[in-house]
Amino acid sequence: NNQVAEKLANLGVPESKIKLIPAIYIDLDIFKPLNLEKQYDLIFIGRLVKNKGIFLFLEAVRELNCKAIIIGDGPLREKIKSKIRGWRLKIDLYGWAKDSQEVAEFLNKSKILVMPSYNEGGPRVVVEAMACGVPILATPVGIVVDIIKDGQIGQLTKWDTSDIAEKAKFLLVDKLEYQKYSEEAFKIAERFEKKSAIR
């Protein structure tokens, strides 16, 4: 998006005439910090298909030996269930949340959102996590590269289990750094607020 604005400016369009409006917007009355007790170290939200990097998530949980939850369903559910059993992972395989409110609650009960997709059009879940004050570890796809700046609201990760696990461990251990990411994520999410985006 920023590159498009830059090209327009290079073509002679005055900067005052260029307005960037997010393609994704969310309801901040639903997605917000709820001060719920953290029950999960990591959360994954999405369809259970290879493209979403779900096996990278499972491997990272295994490496960290942490508690996690998967919100979503899809053709890989049984294979994932089998890996959770075989590797004795502490993962709740929940299925789809019933509505946005429940998604917001699960995000608030989790410390870090991991989004290891191989390609994405959005994803909206990154902005929803930010609005809940949940730091993000995500691969550089879709809008992620536009909204995540390393060391600000989360970290960009490689498509690599060890990289994801190492960056997650850093955030889970360093409470001050975690708090900084959390507060900044919530601030940045405000620009995706539904009413002002529509207006």
Side-chain angles (χ1 to χ4, degrees):
N1 290 341
N2 292 328
Q3 288 170 342
V4 173
E6 219 172 275
K7 282 178 185 170
L8 287 171
N10 289 340
L11 289 169
V13 178
E15 275 188 45
S16 60
K17 299 275 185 190
I18 300 170
K19 178 85 174 154
L20 288 176
I21 301 168
I24 289 174
Y25 49 84
I26 59 167
D27 189 339
L28 293 185
D29 291 333
I30 292 175
F31 293 97
K32 61 186 177 183
L34 298 171
N35 298 318
L36 300 175
E37 187 188 341
K38 298 291 187 187
Q39 295 177 19
Y40 305 100
D41 295 309
L42 308 181
I43 184 170
F44 172 99
I45 301 176
R47 206 157 169 266
L48 304 184
V49 291
K50 202 174 176 187
N51 171 56
K52 295 287 186 180
I54 183 64
F55 293 116
L56 287 172
F57 180 79
L58 296 179
E59 287 161 11
V61 172
R62 184 188 192 189
E63 200 165 308
L64 287 165
N65 189 27
C66 66
K67 188 147 192 237
I69 186 165
I70 294 171
I71 307 294
D73 210 336
L76 293 176
R77 183 182 176 85
E78 289 309 312
K79 199 170 181 182
I80 290 161
K81 218 193 241 184
S82 166
K83 279 198 183 293
I84 290 171
R85 270 198 309 265
W87 291 349
R88 297 182 182 176
L89 301 176
K90 292 176 277 190
I91 295 180
D92 288 349
L93 187 54
Y94 186 79
W96 288 119
K98 67 175 185 286
D99 55 21
S100 296
Q101 185 63 53
E102 194 171 37
V103 172
E105 285 167 14
F106 278 123
L107 282 166
N108 272 277
K109 288 175 184 175
S110 305
K111 293 178 185 173
I112 300 167
L113 172 80
V114 179
M115 203 287 304
S117 291
Y118 290 97
N119 55 65
E120 280 286 351
R124 173 185 295 275
V125 69
V126 165
V127 182
E128 291 172 345
M130 285 162 56
C132 294
V134 175
I136 297 142
L137 294 178
T139 47
V141 296
I143 62 164
V144 171
V145 283
D146 289 331
I147 59 176
I148 289 189
K149 292 180 174 62
D150 280 351
Q152 192 175 11
I153 66 164
Q155 294 276 336
L156 292 173
T157 69
K158 299 170 190 165
W159 290 274
D160 175 82
T161 302
S162 296
D163 189 51
I164 295 167
E166 190 182 308
K167 286 170 178 170
K169 190 176 180 183
F170 165 73
L171 274 180
L172 292 169
V173 169
D174 193 324
K175 302 284 186 273
L176 281 175
E177 201 65 15
Y178 180 91
Q179 193 58 33
K180 186 184 87 176
Y181 276 48
S182 176
E183 287 167 9
E184 202 59 39
F186 176 67
K187 273 190 234 163
I188 292 173
E190 289 181 328
R191 74 175 199 242
F192 294 90
E193 196 272 323
K194 184 179 173 182
K195 294 186 189 87
S196 64
I198 292 169
R199 188 163 63 243

